[in-house]
Amino acid sequence: MGRWGWRLFEGDQDFDIVISISDDTLGIKTGQWEYRLSAMVHQSDMLAPPEAAVVYRTAEYAYELANVIVPYIRQKLNTSNFGERMFAASRAKESDPDDLFQESKYRTIILGALMMRAGARINTADLQHLRDLVPQINCTSRHTLFNDHGFRAPGRAQFLAALDHYRPGVARSFQAPSCFKCGNIEEDIGRKLLQCKKCIVATYCGKDCQRDQWREHRVSCIPPGQRRMLNV
């Protein structure tokens, strides 16, 4: 389906990368884990089975995710420097001269997001490498039919905010509403985010961020009843 949202893990690209990482693309096996990396970032697009969408909204699922799945994966990543070895394997593949769309570098970005989602340990060098990668990844603020690789602007802001607030042992949600301008979530600012009243999609930590991002957002600020396509 392509993309159904503007942030990380709201498009097939990101989920395909998560699955490829779990399927031994990096030469490090996670297939025998009880919970795979993809279990932390459930697929929430419009084509997900209705019964799955219902489960994702239950208190039981939220409890299992926070208290069973995420801690399990964190422990796995932290044991024997497993996560650090995954980073090393991903970084080693970034220099492919035929990688025109920086897919290998974006895979490292997604791996970093998964590590932060779990609250796993990330060493200082890898954190800095993630920061250095961000400006190298394609980023667009509009719907595009071709060369749709890398970030959308709200996803990039979301990732940078996660890096700013990273603490080992503290899981970072990438599905909680985040500010389309600065990337902060409710836990960062201590209050709920504002929602764009016109499109009911974009969220902001305050009026200043909403105003500053309007030039980007206005192209896609379409009321739900007037949208002609599912993808953004």
Side-chain angles (χ1 to χ4, degrees):
M1 183 182 170
R3 295 186 195 248
W4 55 89
W6 295 90
R7 307 179 310 142
L8 293 181
F9 307 113
E10 293 180 348
D12 292 340
Q13 169 192 233
D14 294 358
F15 281 103
D16 288 345
I17 294 172
V18 174
I19 292 170
S20 73
I21 292 173
S22 298
D23 286 345
D24 202 22
T25 299
L26 299 177
I28 300 176
K29 297 181 179 180
T30 64
Q32 299 303 313
W33 291 9
E34 183 177 356
Y35 298 105
R36 306 184 80 184
L37 295 169
S38 57
M40 298 189 296
V41 284
H42 65 255
Q43 187 165 346
S44 58
D45 70 302
M46 297 177 185
L47 296 184
E51 58 272 19
V54 170
V55 170
Y56 293 148
R57 292 194 293 266
T58 63
E60 291 78 9
Y61 172 77
Y63 180 88
E64 181 181 21
L65 181 64
N67 297 283
V68 179
I69 297 174
V70 168
Y72 171 88
I73 295 175
R74 180 193 307 139
Q75 187 271 332
K76 286 289 188 179
L77 290 171
N78 286 344
T79 299
S80 301
N81 295 321
F82 193 94
E84 191 170 319
R85 289 189 284 124
M86 292 186 79
F87 260 118
S90 187
R91 292 180 62 170
K93 295 178 179 289
E94 290 175 11
S95 58
D96 181 359
D98 296 324
D99 188 3
L100 301 179
F101 298 113
Q102 306 288 8
E103 293 178 357
S104 296
K105 292 180 178 179
Y106 190 68
R107 177 176 55 213
T108 303
I109 290 283
I110 293 298
L111 176 58
L114 291 170
M115 296 283 287
M116 290 187 283
R117 177 67 188 98
R121 290 193 302 267
I122 305 176
N123 65 45
T124 302
D126 285 330
L127 284 172
Q128 184 58 51
H129 182 68
L130 290 170
R131 287 191 181 279
D132 294 341
L133 281 182
V134 171
Q136 301 178 46
I137 304 298
N138 179 61
C139 180
T140 179
S141 59
R142 301 188 179 192
H143 168 68
T144 176
L145 294 176
F146 304 103
N147 297 334
D148 191 6
H149 301 276
F151 291 117
R152 289 289 170 82
R156 180 175 61 184
Q158 182 189 23
F159 184 77
L160 287 170
L163 284 175
D164 289 342
H165 293 278
Y166 167 73
R167 287 183 292 161
V170 178
R172 178 76 177 187
S173 174
F174 284 89
Q175 287 167 306
S178 61
C179 178
F180 271 38
K181 175 63 179 177
C182 70
N184 284 326
I185 60 176
E186 181 178 343
E187 291 180 2
D188 302 331
I189 62 176
R191 63 179 184 275
K192 290 187 177 181
L193 277 69
L194 304 175
Q195 187 177 60
C196 176
K197 293 181 180 179
K198 183 178 178 181
C199 69
I200 320 297
V201 172
T203 49
Y204 298 97
C205 62
K207 292 292 185 181
D208 289 343
C209 278
Q210 186 174 20
R211 181 175 56 252
D212 291 347
Q213 211 243 351
W214 173 243
R215 291 186 65 182
E216 288 185 358
H217 177 58
R218 65 182 177 182
V219 178
S220 60
C221 189
I222 302 171
Q226 298 179 21
R227 294 175 194 155
R228 292 184 171 85
M229 60 178 61
L230 295 179
N231 285 10
V232 299

